[in-house]
């Protein structure tokens, strides 16, 4: 309550606003499950569709079973139900592994790598968890060169992918419609300047597209900068961003030679 405003009405049927922010995760063992509200009733939560989409996205990375928590067993007063029910935050319980006291080798080699990827995605989606997971991901950012003098032409390339859900999950997958990048100011913030990225094959007509752009670096000050990339599908869903640091070097000062 100290960190999040109440974004949902008092009635159980009141949905959180579609653009609500905030994400709550209760992570423990065990069961290899991704659970979301409600736990006290089989009735779906008002934001069920969006909660399900983000839960399935987590399951893409981990191969865990995503489901409404009631279907594990009925619970009342659980933590994700409180976060969602009281404050409208997208709330989840993540059941790690297949034993309460997992051995270290299994944790380090199997549980940690996949869940860390999923948690990074959840961090990206926290700004708008009921919207962003429906959109594509921006992957494999490549900037050439990474370090350059101000004014150099820098090539940016990425893969925009709308297919990263568990096989057979039922999540809709759409063709990519657009991609864009911004430098230093994230695309969703006031003052951001976004510029288009174009499909390498000449047309946006697939669910996975490689896109590129040439970054004009003439206005960048020397130092480190951050490039944000995101994509949109044909249903107008923008996805989470990915980002890459680039480095602008001061112009090379040539020594003066006196004759």
């Amino acid at each position: 309550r100290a960190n999040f405003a109440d974004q949902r009405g008092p009635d159980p049927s009141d949905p959180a606003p579609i653009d609500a922010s905030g994400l709550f995760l209760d992570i423990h063992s065990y069961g290899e499950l991704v659970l979301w509200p409600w736990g006290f009733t089989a009735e779906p939560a008002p934001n069920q569709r969006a909660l399900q989409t983000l839960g399935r996205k987590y399951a893409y990375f981990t191969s865990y079973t995503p489901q409404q928590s009631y279907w594990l067993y009925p619970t009342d007063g659980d933590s994700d139900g409180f976060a969602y029910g009281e404050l409208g935050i997208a709330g989840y319980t993540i059941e790690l592994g297949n034993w309460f006291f997992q051995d270290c080798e299994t944790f380090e080699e199997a549980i940690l790598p996949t869940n860390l990827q999923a948690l990074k995605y959840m961090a990206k989606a926290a700004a708008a968890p009921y919207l962003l997971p429906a959109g594509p991901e921006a992957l494999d950012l490549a900037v050439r060169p990474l370090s350059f003098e101000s004014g150099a032409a820098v090539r940016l390339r990425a893969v925009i992918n709308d297919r990263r859900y568990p096989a057979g999950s039922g999540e809709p997958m759409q063709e990519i419609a657009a991609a864009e990048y911004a430098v230093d100011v994230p695309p969703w913030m006031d003052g951001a300047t976004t510029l288009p990225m174009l499909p390498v094959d000449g047309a946006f007509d697939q669910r996975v597209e490689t896109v590129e752009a040439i970054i004009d670096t003439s206005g960048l000050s020397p130092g480190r900068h951050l490039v944000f990339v995101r994509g949109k599908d044909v249903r107008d869903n923008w996805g989470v961003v990915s980002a890459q640091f680039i480095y602008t070097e001061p112009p090379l000062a040539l020594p003066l030679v006196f004759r």
Side-chain angles (χ1 to χ4, degrees):
R1 292 186 187 276
N3 290 288
F4 294 95
D6 185 354
Q7 302 171 93
R8 205 180 74 85
D11 193 89
S13 62
D14 292 334
I18 192 66
D19 60 350
S21 63
L23 188 59
F24 174 89
L25 300 176
D26 184 347
I27 304 174
H28 49 84
S29 58
Y30 69 102
E32 298 188 336
L33 298 166
V34 183
L35 308 174
W36 58 82
W38 299 119
F40 67 88
T41 176
E43 290 296 315
N47 295 92
Q48 160 74 11
R49 185 70 187 83
L51 289 165
Q52 176 178 267
T53 296
L54 182 51
R56 287 172 171 174
K57 179 64 78 170
Y58 195 104
Y60 168 81
F61 296 97
T62 59
S63 298
Y64 287 2
T65 300
Q67 63 184 44
Q68 183 178 335
S69 62
Y70 179 88
W71 300 113
L72 177 61
Y73 48 77
T75 56
D76 193 1
D78 51 1
S79 56
D80 57 82
F82 166 80
Y84 174 73
E86 290 293 312
L87 302 174
I89 303 169
Y92 295 85
T93 295
I94 311 299
E95 299 281 6
L96 300 178
N98 50 30
W99 191 244
F100 273 121
F101 301 103
Q102 203 80 51
D103 64 276
C104 292
E105 182 179 1
T106 301
F107 178 80
E108 292 174 355
E109 295 185 3
I111 296 175
L112 178 60
T114 56
N115 279 277
L116 189 56
Q117 291 183 65
L119 291 170
K120 287 179 179 178
Y121 181 89
M122 299 297 261
K124 293 180 180 184
Y130 302 127
L131 287 173
L132 294 173
E137 290 184 68
L139 307 169
D140 302 329
L141 271 62
V143 181
R144 297 293 183 273
L146 275 176
S147 182
F148 46 85
E149 289 189 26
S150 180
V154 174
R155 183 178 299 275
L156 170 65
R157 182 172 284 207
V159 175
I160 309 300
N161 190 325
D162 202 43
R163 298 180 59 182
R164 285 160 64 92
Y165 300 100
S169 69
E171 282 297 321
M173 304 177 191
Q174 289 80 224
E175 288 71 33
I176 306 304
E180 64 182 20
Y181 75 93
V183 179
D184 288 335
V185 182
W188 62 85
M189 292 185 64
D190 292 340
T193 298
T194 59
L195 295 166
M197 300 184 70
L198 301 178
V200 171
D201 64 4
F204 282 119
D205 55 7
Q206 301 179 68
R207 295 174 182 175
V208 181
E209 293 278 3
T210 300
V211 297
E212 66 177 7
I214 301 298
I215 303 175
D216 178 7
T217 66
S218 57
L220 296 182
S221 60
R224 188 175 72 173
H225 299 271
L226 192 55
V227 177
F228 299 89
V229 175
R230 66 176 181 174
K232 181 174 72 170
D233 64 30
V234 294
R235 292 192 178 179
D236 210 30
N237 298 309
W238 285 104
V240 300
V241 301
S242 288
Q244 171 70 57
F245 284 120
I246 59 175
Y247 301 86
T248 305
E249 300 172 349
L252 180 62
L254 297 176
L256 294 177
V257 178
F258 297 95
R259 295 185 179 180

